[in-house]
Amino acid sequence: MTGLEPSKSDFRNAMARLGAAVNVITTDGSAGRAGFTASAVCSVTDEPPSLLVCLNRSASVYETFKANGVLCVNVLGAGHQAISNLFGGKTPMAERFAAARWTLGPSGSPILQEASVSFDCRLSQITEVGTHDVLVCEVMAITTSEQAQSLIYFNRQYHELQASA
């Protein structure tokens, strides 16, 4: 260890070795419909059931999510790489949502019908950290697929996981 702080590049390269589930985060409400791809999602507590989602404040969808105050974390499964790429790029919002089938959760946020699991949430707290906001989201409803599978992003590549029988 050199004692020097890691560079932005060093940090990003190290984080590429931390495998993470791939999620499409969606919202709908008075501020409009929006969605983005995120791997910075994790559980906080089971009482009350809560997740955290990290969102860059410079993202084009930022104000929509903050104003709506609700969101759905749609955990992607095997075969969802194209959906991840659509929601992770500069594709117009209407085209992103046209690429899959959706229902609405109790919050009004879009739930991906083919998601491995979806967590419909309301924002309960926002904390600023560097360039991002950490959104603490209280889970209002959970929708689970019959098939247990996951799309993981590791070493800058997608990997599919399926539960063994």
Side-chain angles (χ1 to χ4, degrees):
M1 195 74 177
T2 64
L4 298 175
E5 287 188 29
S7 69
K8 185 176 178 179
S9 176
D10 290 340
F11 182 73
R12 286 178 175 233
N13 289 336
M15 290 304 296
R17 295 179 178 219
L18 176 64
V22 182
N23 310 277
V24 167
I25 316 300
T26 57
T27 189
D28 203 350
S30 60
R33 188 180 227 196
F36 68 99
T37 299
S39 59
V41 174
C42 70
S43 65
V44 175
T45 180
D46 62 358
E47 200 172 304
S50 301
L51 302 173
L52 68 76
V53 175
C54 297
L55 176 57
N56 193 318
R57 285 189 302 281
S58 69
S60 61
V61 299
Y62 175 78
E63 290 300 331
T64 305
F65 275 85
K66 191 170 178 183
N68 283 344
V70 294
L71 59 80
C72 186
V73 175
N74 296 283
V75 180
L76 300 186
H80 287 154
Q81 294 90 334
I83 293 171
S84 172
N85 290 334
L86 271 177
F87 278 83
K90 301 291 184 192
T91 307
M93 212 53 67
E95 288 180 40
R96 295 180 194 193
F97 283 99
R101 296 177 311 165
W102 306 89
T103 58
L104 296 180
S107 75
S109 296
I111 295 174
L112 178 64
Q113 288 186 3
E114 297 84 20
S116 180
V117 62
S118 297
F119 300 90
D120 193 41
C121 305
R122 69 176 145 259
L123 295 182
S124 61
Q125 183 178 341
I126 299 174
T127 302
E128 289 187 15
V129 179
T131 58
H132 285 62
D133 275 2
V134 178
L135 311 176
V136 178
C137 310
E138 189 172 331
V139 178
M140 299 166 35
I142 299 171
T143 304
T144 306
S145 169
E146 289 184 26
Q147 291 195 338
Q149 54 182 332
S150 187
L151 184 64
I152 303 296
Y153 200 69
F154 172 74
N155 204 26
R156 296 184 175 93
Q157 296 179 359
Y158 292 112
H159 302 274
E160 296 180 352
L161 298 178
Q162 302 218 9
S164 55

